[in-house]
Amino acid sequence: MLEIVSFTLGPAQTNAYLVADSETKEAAVIDPAWDGHLILAEAQKRGWRIAHLWYTHAHFDHIGGAGAIADALNPLPLVALHPNDHVLWRAGGGGAIFGFDIDPGPEPTIDFYQGQILRLGSVEFEVRFTPGHTPGHCILYVSASDVCFCGDLIFAGSVGRTDFPGGNWDQLVDSIKTQVFTMPDETRLLSGHGPETTVGEEKRNNPFVGG
Ligand SMILES: [Zn+2]
Ligand SMILES: [Zn+2]
């Protein structure tokens, strides 16, 4: 069964999600935003083994805790990211513009692609490719648990910015309509910033893409 621990960390108040299969205790961190030691301590407390780091996209505030997590793990976690965001990853996630020089941790070696299935024990995560906020943005959908980790694609009452390098408004809207609004209305959306919401709530009330 999927278990989820949420954190809000770092200078951009980014949500990081520590997820695990409760039977095997195999764990992943979706967007290890910042302060990796806090995420590690929580995993240790629960007896979970972090084997994967999964990035919805490579902005610095979503990967800033990766180095500290990887430094404490042996074997190293496998890092997964869509190839279209590798340039951004190599550029430190764009943090230099904001004065942040992060330790990006191990190089991503697993390439996300549309329809890919990731497994933690018996829990299956479906990768959906959702460019717009960045060229390689992806979301992770667990249909059996009615939950989707949606990064900076869509927020409660808002959507991801498209004014950073590689952003594209038309792509963002298309990604939301084809990849998020096609999930059941009751699906929980766990975003990269702010409180959780649902697909149905955003379909009805999101001022940018709903109504
Ligand atoms: Zn972002
Ligand atoms: Zn963000």
Side-chain angles (χ1 to χ4, degrees):
M1 201 185 85
L2 174 65
E3 290 199 51
I4 305 167
V5 183
S6 319
F7 304 81
T8 302
L9 302 168
Q13 291 289 284
T14 304
N15 295 327
Y17 299 97
L18 173 63
V19 296
D21 173 55
S22 52
E23 278 101 65
T24 64
K25 304 198 181 295
E26 189 184 7
V29 184
I30 300 172
D31 291 351
W34 214 257
D35 292 328
H37 63 281
L38 297 177
I39 300 171
L40 266 172
E42 185 67 29
Q44 278 162 358
K45 196 178 89 188
R46 292 164 176 267
W48 293 354
R49 291 183 318 277
I50 298 174
H52 308 274
L53 302 179
W54 293 335
Y55 303 160
T56 60
H57 65 299
H59 275 151
F60 76 100
D61 62 304
H62 291 253
I63 62 176
I69 292 173
D71 282 350
L73 295 176
N74 184 13
L76 284 175
L78 293 173
V79 180
L81 174 69
H82 192 282
N84 289 4
D85 263 22
H86 281 193
V87 170
L88 181 59
W89 183 85
R90 266 183 229 105
I97 307 163
F98 302 96
F100 294 105
D101 182 18
I102 59 156
D103 171 359
E107 179 137 9
T109 57
I110 310 285
D111 286 345
F112 279 156
Y113 57 88
Q114 172 75 11
Q116 183 177 15
I117 300 295
L118 310 168
R119 287 189 178 81
L120 281 183
S122 61
V123 182
E124 293 191 348
F125 297 74
E126 177 194 335
V127 176
R128 294 189 170 198
F129 176 51
T130 54
H133 176 66
T134 65
H137 195 287
C138 288
I139 61 176
L140 302 176
Y141 175 40
V142 185
S143 61
S145 301
D146 281 322
V147 64
C148 181
F149 301 89
C150 56
D152 287 1
L153 176 61
I154 185 167
F155 308 114
S158 189
V159 296
R161 291 173 63 163
T162 55
D163 57 334
F164 294 129
N168 183 304
W169 173 257
D170 292 338
Q171 273 187 341
L172 182 100
V173 172
D174 185 66
S175 290
I176 292 170
K177 295 202 162 154
T178 63
Q179 303 302 322
V180 177
F181 285 180
T182 50
M183 299 186 292
D185 279 3
E186 63 272 23
T187 309
R188 295 165 64 199
L189 297 176
L190 302 186
S191 304
H193 304 272
E196 76 171 84
T197 181
T198 65
V199 169
E201 171 65 21
E202 296 315 307
K203 265 191 194 166
R204 285 187 298 273
N205 294 324
N206 191 298
F208 299 94
V209 286

